[in-house]
Amino acid sequence: MVAATKGAAGQVIKVHPQPTTEAVQPETPTTITCKVNDVAVAEVAPRDCATALHVCCHGLVCVMAGQYYGWNAALATGFVPYVASQLVMGVTYVIYMSCAAEICGKIAFSGGTYGLSRVTLGYYCGYMVGFLELLEYTASTAVSVLFIGELVTGELGWDKRWEPLIWLVCYVSFVAFYSLPGRIMWNASIALALLCYAPAVLYIFGTLQFANLGQFGYLLDPVDNTTHVWAYGDISSAYFAWLPYTTWAFAGIECLSLVTDMTATPKTTIPRGILGAVALLFFSNVGMVCLVPSLPPGIAAATTALYPLNNGLAMAYGISESVGAWLLFPAHMGMAAGFVLPCGRLMQALADSTLLPPWLGLKNLGHRGLTRAMVLSCGFGYLLCILSYFSREFCSALQNMFLLVGSMCYGAQLVGFILLRTTYKAESNGFKAPFGLSGAIFAIVVYGLLALSIIGGFQDDHGTAGFAALGYCLVLTWYYYYACKDRQTISKDEYASIFRFTIIKFNNLKRKAAREAKRKRHFWHKMASMLRSASKQGSTNRVSYVNVGVHQGGHKAPAHPATR
């Protein structure tokens, strides 16, 4: 039953499944009470819509720079530990994104992990996931912008005091780029994706002729300087200490689900774009991880290189260190810019749910509010850059912080996927994740280990990332119960999904209860039949006085004839 009452603030809709008249009553789902408001529909002209190719290219733009910088330090404990953990993390992201692709075929409204968590896990969990995801993308952008500032000042010989101005120029250019009409912006994203992916292609195909893993892929034992060592340390130093480095090649790719309403056919376009992007990222990552330590002068030199690709590019094409650094510059710009659009879309979704302060003026603006949302998210990112500029400890922990909150969001989306497969049994007419529930559980375990590697004291950051994330969560919780809980709203698309999944869950519980009741009735019917059968058998086999020739009164009974 759907009971609707109108008030000044909007339409309040409560979902109460009707009680069944059967004898067995399953537990009814929790009542859903929330205001359902009309949200300004973001109308996108057909020529401005993104295709699967555009979505795939945007994924490459967002993530590709993570494969070009910093991860080679993890080779310090040997080739085997890092490559094994990197392959596990790569497979985990493939599983995770296949689950995300299936989800996009079931829930097509924009909102990403936030929208899914709100529908499947509840309002508070959805609220927390939304703001954690916003922090993840904003912090990731800030990390990339900080690196761009260091790269420009270092290569051009400028004073570091110019870095804040470089950050400002970056953020302004990002907002301007994603404010362009879709037909221009998406096609420009294809060109930017080619520039981002080109160094990986050049490196892999150019260095294959020089690679020799057996000769260059081992470390020398520091004691005798002759023994070949392929793995150092224990699980703490060789796995947990370097585990965050394995995420750099993929972290943030899930943001593609936030551009759902910028496509014409999201249930097919988004899954294809996601799968194409994660496949390209996986292949390039495997190639570079195996080739970097396989080139002369060896893995020991590769661990300390500032840009791990420069050595191979110099061998294959004669490129200098400076040219190699600038060759990677488009990828770093793309990674910094790529998350600005998802941040803006996520802020709009939060504002449309009345989870952001009304004075920000983002609610019900559609595409007109996208630029304002991107400006606000970039302002928050610029603040993180300023804090990092004055606190090196905060700067070093910033990346671990966004990986920590990202692992929470990953877990929430995977739990939502499991609920869609089990509790809600939502059907998908499009892509279906081939790894199923076991793959989702495996991914949850790996991301749990990732969170443990950050909060467990393995990163030598004195707990800065963990305490910062905890403080952020506490502030969010206070803000939710103080300001957001009673005023939050849902869109009609969200309500339609919540209503549908509530009814599906109720019907599933009802069928389950009916099956259990039928099973119990069958059990007791079988027991009664067994008792009746035993009773009849006992009466026919009982030995009486007559059978032995004795009367009950003590007189002899005539013996039965022998023929009987």
Side-chain angles (χ1 to χ4, degrees):
M1 178 180 66
V2 179
T5 59
K6 282 195 173 182
Q11 188 179 17
V12 180
I13 296 183
K14 298 182 179 181
V15 179
H16 296 283
Q18 283 281 18
T20 178
T21 56
E22 297 179 5
V24 180
Q25 295 285 344
E27 182 183 356
T28 58
T30 305
T31 300
I32 301 172
T33 304
C34 196
K35 299 174 184 177
V36 181
N37 286 348
D38 288 328
V39 177
V41 180
E43 297 290 345
V44 182
R47 61 179 180 174
D48 291 331
C49 289
T51 64
L53 176 61
H54 295 140
V55 175
C56 175
C57 289
H58 186 71
L60 295 179
V61 168
C62 290
V63 179
M64 199 62 210
Q67 302 190 9
Y68 295 152
Y69 174 77
W71 59 266
N72 52 305
L75 294 170
T77 53
F79 176 82
V80 173
Y82 176 70
V83 172
S85 57
Q86 180 64 70
L87 288 175
V88 170
M89 186 60 72
V91 171
T92 301
Y93 269 98
V94 171
I95 294 173
Y96 169 47
M97 295 316 299
S98 67
C99 296
E102 179 178 331
I103 290 170
C104 290
K106 295 178 178 179
I107 302 178
F109 58 84
S110 185
T113 308
Y114 157 71
L116 172 68
S117 301
R118 210 167 184 226
V119 169
T120 57
L121 302 180
Y123 295 132
Y124 172 72
C125 290
Y127 161 85
M128 291 296 295
V129 167
F131 278 92
L132 289 175
E133 195 174 17
L134 183 62
L135 175 62
E136 176 193 358
Y137 300 149
T138 307
S140 178
T141 301
V143 169
S144 299
V145 169
L146 287 169
F147 179 80
I148 291 172
E150 294 178 358
L151 174 63
V152 172
T153 55
E155 292 296 326
L156 298 180
W158 293 358
D159 192 279
K160 290 185 68 68
R161 287 176 294 183
W162 287 101
E163 289 185 4
L165 180 60
I166 296 173
W167 306 336
L168 182 61
V169 172
C170 287
Y171 278 119
V172 171
S173 62
F174 300 157
V175 174
F177 176 76
Y178 286 110
S179 298
L180 294 172
R183 59 188 178 277
I184 300 175
M185 183 265 291
W186 289 120
N187 291 328
S189 295
I190 296 178
L192 183 57
L194 292 175
L195 291 175
C196 293
Y197 203 72
V201 176
L202 293 174
Y203 182 86
I204 292 173
F205 289 100
T207 58
L208 281 173
Q209 56 182 323
F210 305 106
N212 190 333
L213 183 62
Q215 182 178 356
F216 302 109
Y218 57 83
L219 295 169
L220 293 177
D221 192 326
V223 177
D224 56 18
N225 206 32
T226 57
T227 304
H228 297 176
V229 178
W230 292 87
Y232 267 124
D234 52 16
I235 192 172
S236 173
S237 60
Y239 180 70
F240 282 111
W242 301 117
L243 190 57
Y245 288 71
T246 63
T247 66
W248 291 14
F250 303 95
I253 187 65
E254 74 282 356
C255 72
L256 296 179
S257 60
L258 285 164
V259 298
T260 298
D261 57 358
M262 302 181 76
T263 62
T265 54
K267 289 190 175 182
T268 56
T269 300
I270 298 297
R272 291 174 183 174
I274 288 176
L275 296 174
V278 76
L280 290 173
L281 291 170
F282 182 81
F283 290 133
S284 62
N285 177 244
V286 171
M288 286 186 287
V289 165
C290 293
L291 286 172
V292 166
S294 303
L295 299 177
I299 189 174
T303 58
T304 58
L306 181 60
Y307 302 104
L309 270 62
N310 277 2
N311 179 44
L313 293 174
M315 295 175 60
Y317 307 104
I319 295 176
S320 65
E321 290 281 333
S322 179
V323 174
W326 286 110
L327 184 63
L328 305 179
F329 183 75
H332 293 294
M333 285 291 292
M335 187 173 187
F339 292 110
V340 172
L341 178 62
C343 278
R345 303 299 299 147
L346 182 56
M347 286 195 72
Q348 280 190 303
L350 292 170
D352 288 339
S353 301
T354 324
L355 295 176
L356 289 176
W359 51 265
L360 292 177
L362 295 176
K363 187 176 177 64
N364 292 335
L365 292 181
H367 278 300
R368 293 183 293 113
L370 178 58
T371 301
R372 182 181 298 182
M374 289 191 294
V375 169
L376 291 174
S377 65
C378 288
F380 180 47
Y382 192 81
L383 176 62
L384 294 179
C385 291
I386 295 295
L387 293 175
S388 301
Y389 184 79
F390 290 103
S391 173
R392 300 306 301 175
E393 189 175 55
F394 180 81
C395 180
S396 61
L398 185 60
Q399 183 151 354
N400 286 333
M401 182 175 66
F402 90 72
L403 289 176
L404 176 59
V405 298
S407 63
M408 299 178 188
C409 297
Y410 301 160
Q413 189 164 14
L414 289 166
V415 171
F417 168 80
I418 293 174
L419 290 176
L420 290 179
R421 278 275 189 106
T422 56
T423 303
Y424 300 109
K425 299 185 184 301
E427 297 181 358
S428 176
N429 297 325
F431 174 78
K432 187 173 182 180
F435 305 99
L437 298 178
S438 58
I441 294 172
F442 170 79
I444 290 175
V445 172
V446 174
Y447 290 133
L449 294 176
L450 172 62
L452 179 62
S453 70
I454 297 173
I455 64 177
F458 299 102
Q459 304 306 314
D460 295 329
D461 63 349
H462 307 291
T464 303
F467 285 119
L470 177 61
Y472 184 73
C473 291
L474 291 176
V475 171
L476 287 179
T477 300
W478 172 83
Y479 177 69
Y480 176 80
Y481 285 101
Y482 176 77
C484 296
K485 182 179 179 181
D486 296 327
R487 78 180 185 198
Q488 63 181 327
T489 60
I490 58 176
S491 67
K492 288 187 175 180
D493 288 339
E494 287 178 313
Y495 171 71
S497 295
I498 292 173
F499 180 80
R500 178 163 62 95
F501 291 149
T502 301
I503 298 303
I504 290 174
K505 181 180 179 181
F506 175 72
N507 290 335
N508 290 336
L509 290 173
K510 183 178 177 181
R511 284 193 293 268
K512 181 179 179 181
R515 286 195 301 268
E516 291 179 354
K518 184 178 180 180
R519 191 181 301 113
K520 289 180 180 179
R521 288 196 300 268
H522 178 72
F523 172 77
W524 289 114
H525 178 73
K526 186 175 181 180
M527 290 295 295
S529 299
M530 291 176 61
L531 290 174
R532 286 196 297 269
S533 176
S535 176
K536 290 180 181 180
Q537 185 177 3
S539 62
T540 56
N541 294 336
R542 187 181 301 116
V543 179
S544 66
Y545 294 103
V546 177
N547 296 131
V548 296
V550 179
H551 283 293
Q552 293 185 23
H555 302 287
K556 285 187 177 181
H560 291 286
T563 56
R564 292 186 181 180

